[in-house]
Amino acid sequence: DVEEVIRLSQRVAAPKRALWRAIATPAGLSNWQADEVMGEVRAGRTLTMRYRGLGVSVVLDVAAVEEERRVVLTAGASRLELRVRDGVIDLEHHGLAAGDEAEGTRSAWRVALAILAEALERHRDQPRHVHVLSGPTPAPAELCHVFFTDPGALRRWLLRDGALDPEGAPSRVRFAWGPLASTRIIAHTPGRDLALAWDDRAAVIALRTLPSRRDPAERLLLLSCSRWGAPLPPADAAGLEGSHRRLLRALVAAGAA
């Protein structure tokens, strides 16, 4: 099988020491990556990355640590290296099959690194609370992406008024459940995923699709909201849950059209 290597860099306006803590401590990793991280970032030890909203846990071996420079994590044939420079985090991921797996993983890392930058630049030292919604859909990733970005499609499930600026400029929108919101697109993979900063709530909404472990003919539609400082208010959590249900229904209707 052909293997693909993912290489990404993320600029982060934060001190190098803060960048190092973000990749080399369980608390730092849980502020942008997994919902919960347990273990120790020391060579020869293991880390458990728990994604509660998906019911998934991943155990990683800590293969190498160079203080304030790099961390290497492995799981079977998969090898992830995270490096810090002044104002930059570099990521290199080996061991992925070329095609959908590599493209989906690259997109997921873009979203995760954008969340890391948001956490350190705007919400440093604030705990992250994650609200995750997921459900199966027969729609392909490309159709889901239309509903993540097209103004008319967004009004069928997430927005009442306004539109998202595709270039990431601040936008003023009204969510379907009522509140006006200041938003910014902070990560976008055409045809796949989107991450939207919600400045009024110190939050980021990620809209993604993942391969289904149950059926190769379907995908998992994922809506996650990371909020720093305090959990999402109940009215907003309920609003997102209703929007996720509407999106699942709209995708079925669009696929049948």
Side-chain angles (χ1 to χ4, degrees):
D1 293 340
V2 177
E3 179 185 312
E4 192 160 333
V5 179
I6 295 171
R7 293 183 177 90
L8 297 170
S9 293
Q10 176 71 49
R11 292 192 176 276
V12 186
K16 187 176 181 182
R17 187 64 187 171
L19 270 63
W20 175 249
R21 288 196 300 268
I23 69 165
T25 66
L29 286 162
S30 67
N31 219 19
W32 64 278
Q33 228 300 304
D35 303 349
E36 184 180 0
V37 181
M38 297 172 292
E40 189 177 3
V41 186
R42 184 189 297 184
R45 302 296 178 89
T46 63
L47 284 175
T48 299
M49 315 285 276
R50 184 170 294 165
Y51 303 85
R52 290 189 301 269
L54 293 173
V56 173
S57 292
V58 179
V59 178
L60 302 174
D61 295 309
V62 183
V65 177
E66 294 182 37
E67 185 69 19
E68 295 203 27
R69 183 169 178 265
R70 72 179 187 127
V71 171
V72 180
L73 305 171
T74 62
S78 179
R79 179 181 181 274
L80 174 69
E81 182 169 341
L82 296 165
R83 299 185 298 273
V84 297
R85 297 181 279 142
D86 289 334
V88 179
I89 287 185
D90 298 310
L91 177 150
E92 193 168 298
H93 194 166
H94 296 254
L96 299 163
D100 186 64
E101 180 188 16
E103 290 306 311
T105 303
R106 179 181 286 107
S107 180
W109 279 126
R110 285 196 186 109
V111 168
L113 290 172
I115 291 173
L116 183 157
E118 193 75 8
L120 292 186
E121 292 178 357
R122 293 171 178 262
H123 315 294
R124 197 179 312 162
D125 300 324
Q126 297 292 312
R128 182 175 71 129
H129 302 267
V130 186
H131 189 72
V132 179
L133 305 165
S134 64
T137 178
E142 294 81 3
L143 178 58
C144 294
H145 179 264
V146 171
F147 277 80
F148 296 165
T149 54
D150 179 78
L154 281 164
R155 287 192 182 90
R156 293 179 61 182
W157 70 280
L158 182 64
L159 301 183
R160 183 181 300 174
D161 297 303
L164 306 179
D165 188 298
E167 302 303 319
S171 300
R172 194 71 171 159
V173 301
R174 186 181 294 276
F175 285 121
W177 61 98
L180 282 167
S182 297
T183 63
R184 296 170 287 117
I185 293 176
I186 59 172
H188 181 207
T189 302
R192 280 198 180 259
D193 305 326
L194 187 80
L196 182 70
W198 183 4
D199 291 334
D200 315 79
R201 294 292 187 270
V204 170
I205 297 172
L207 306 172
R208 300 181 52 213
T209 60
L210 310 174
S212 171
R213 291 179 292 171
R214 185 180 68 177
D215 183 350
E218 69 181 17
R219 294 188 72 79
L220 195 65
L221 179 70
L222 184 68
L223 188 161
S224 66
C225 184
S226 299
R227 190 183 190 218
W228 291 270
L232 197 63
D236 293 321
L240 286 174
E241 289 162 9
S243 291
H244 186 258
R245 289 192 296 270
R246 285 192 297 275
L247 177 56
L248 287 171
R249 292 195 297 266
L251 287 169
V252 170

